[in-house]
């Protein structure tokens, strides 16, 4: 199967359809879940979809080392290539790696200013301008609307989509739309909010906010805990 066909058949098309065409450039999406449910794998899956389209991706991790993040990409790519019988496996992999940058920080050393500085350096010295940015492990609990706005400014300047992860807990408070803390108090600043929860056989991906739409329906999307791939639910 050719790369274009793999991309066209990706479960990511379900996500795009569910949120009326996708996250959209300049916008911010968040996936929130309890520890260990696969938030990183979900974000890598989103990034992989962009990479398979030949787009440039910046992955920022505040939880893992560069080697660990690279392992996520390698494992998920290998599963996709095997299941879809992808042609030119090594050629596609090399191209994807050229279009990807991984930056890892201890949480206490990361800031939006450092993100902006890193992107500026990549643009000036590496001719690398991402159209998708993944930020994995940001501490939403300590953040304000102003912090989100600063991320949005970067997204707007680059015309890039920004996907982030947030960790919640079983006892976390939820608002009327079911959005748990630490994201609920920032709901108005975010464009798309997803959640992940184990339903007994797989990790169900739910939709809580879809831009300004009030039609928030079941996406029929899940994360296979064995392969760490997104799959369509029946």
């Amino acid at each position: 199967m050719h790369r274009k066909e793999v991309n066209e058949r990706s479960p990511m098309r379900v996500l795009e359809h569910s949120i009326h065409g996708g996250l959209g450039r300049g916008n911010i999406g968040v996936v929130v879940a309890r520890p260990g449910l696969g938030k990183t794998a979900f974000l890598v899956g989103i990034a992989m979809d962009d990479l398979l389209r030949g787009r440039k991706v910046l992955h920022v991790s505040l939880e893992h080392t560069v080697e660990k993040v690279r392992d996520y990409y390698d494992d998920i790519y290998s599963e996709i290539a095997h299941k879809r019988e992808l042609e030119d496996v090594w050629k596609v992999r090399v191209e994807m790696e050229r279009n990807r940058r991984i930056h890892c920080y201890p949480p206490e050393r990361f800031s939006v200013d450092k993100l902006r500085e890193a992107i500026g350096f990549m643009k000036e010295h590496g001719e690398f301008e991402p159209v998708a940015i993944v930020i994995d492990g940001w501490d939403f609990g300590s953040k304000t609307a102003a912090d989100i706005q600063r991320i949005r400014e970067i997204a707007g300047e680059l015309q890039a989509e920004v996907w982030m992860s947030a960790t919640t807990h079983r006892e976390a408070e939820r608002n009327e739309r079911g959005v748990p803390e630490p994201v609920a108090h920032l709901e108005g600043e975010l464009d798309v909010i997803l959640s992940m929860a184990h339903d007994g056989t797989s990790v169900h991906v739910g939709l809580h906010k879809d831009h300004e739409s009030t039609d928030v329906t079941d996406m029929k999307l899940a994360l296979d805990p064995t392969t760490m791939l997104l799959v369509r639910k029946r």
Side-chain angles (χ1 to χ4, degrees):
M1 191 179 291
H2 292 291
R3 178 173 60 177
K4 182 179 179 181
E5 189 177 0
V6 169
N7 198 260
E8 290 173 349
R9 295 188 180 188
S10 169
M12 284 298 172
R13 306 291 77 77
V14 175
L15 174 58
E16 286 183 348
H17 178 74
S18 299
I19 55 177
H20 296 80
L23 178 58
R25 296 193 176 193
N27 293 330
I28 302 173
V30 176
V31 57
V32 55
R34 301 207 310 266
L37 287 185
K39 295 184 295 297
T40 298
F42 179 85
L43 292 179
V44 169
I46 289 177
M48 191 79 69
D49 190 65
D50 279 308
L51 291 168
L52 283 168
R53 296 183 185 192
R55 298 173 179 172
K56 290 181 171 60
V57 173
L58 170 62
H59 187 119
V60 176
S61 178
L62 311 182
E63 295 185 333
H64 303 296
T65 63
V66 171
E67 292 75 16
K68 181 64 175 177
V69 175
R70 189 179 292 120
D71 285 344
Y72 269 102
Y73 278 91
D74 289 346
D75 291 346
I76 291 174
Y77 177 67
S78 295
E79 287 286 348
I80 292 173
H82 173 70
K83 287 185 175 296
R84 297 298 186 182
E85 298 181 345
L86 179 65
E87 297 185 13
D88 298 324
V89 172
W90 288 105
K91 180 180 178 181
V92 173
R93 178 173 179 167
V94 168
E95 182 179 339
M96 289 173 60
E97 289 180 350
R98 287 174 178 165
N99 284 331
R100 184 194 68 204
R101 298 291 184 273
I102 300 172
H103 287 200
C104 298
Y105 303 85
E108 67 276 7
R109 295 185 182 179
F110 176 75
S111 67
V112 179
D113 287 337
K114 284 194 174 182
L115 175 63
R116 181 181 291 279
E117 181 182 336
I119 292 171
F121 185 88
M122 286 186 289
K123 289 173 62 177
E124 182 176 355
H125 300 286
E127 298 182 353
F128 187 93
E129 186 170 330
V131 298
I133 301 172
V134 167
I135 303 176
D136 190 16
W138 210 45
D139 179 13
F140 276 81
S142 65
K143 299 302 184 292
T144 65
D147 295 314
I148 300 293
Q149 183 57 37
R150 295 180 69 201
I151 296 285
R152 186 178 297 282
E153 288 171 1
I154 293 175
E157 291 165 9
L158 294 173
Q159 280 299 284
E161 295 184 350
V162 177
W163 279 101
M164 308 176 73
S165 69
T167 300
T168 189
H169 299 280
R170 188 185 302 274
E171 299 80 14
E173 294 184 6
R174 295 174 180 267
N175 64 16
E176 64 278 4
R177 289 218 268 188
V179 180
E181 290 292 0
V183 174
H185 73 285
L186 295 169
E187 179 184 353
E189 308 301 321
L190 303 167
D191 300 287
V192 171
I193 301 175
L194 307 174
S195 67
M196 301 174 69
H198 206 288
D199 62 8
T201 57
S202 61
V203 178
H204 175 70
V205 181
L207 177 61
H208 293 281
K209 184 177 182 181
D210 171 16
H211 302 282
E212 301 305 318
S213 175
T214 57
D215 180 21
V216 180
T217 57
D218 186 357
M219 292 193 299
K220 303 295 184 183
L221 198 63
L223 187 76
D224 185 326
T226 302
T227 65
M228 303 305 283
L229 295 182
L230 282 171
V231 295
R232 292 177 174 87
K233 287 189 69 177
R234 297 180 180 178

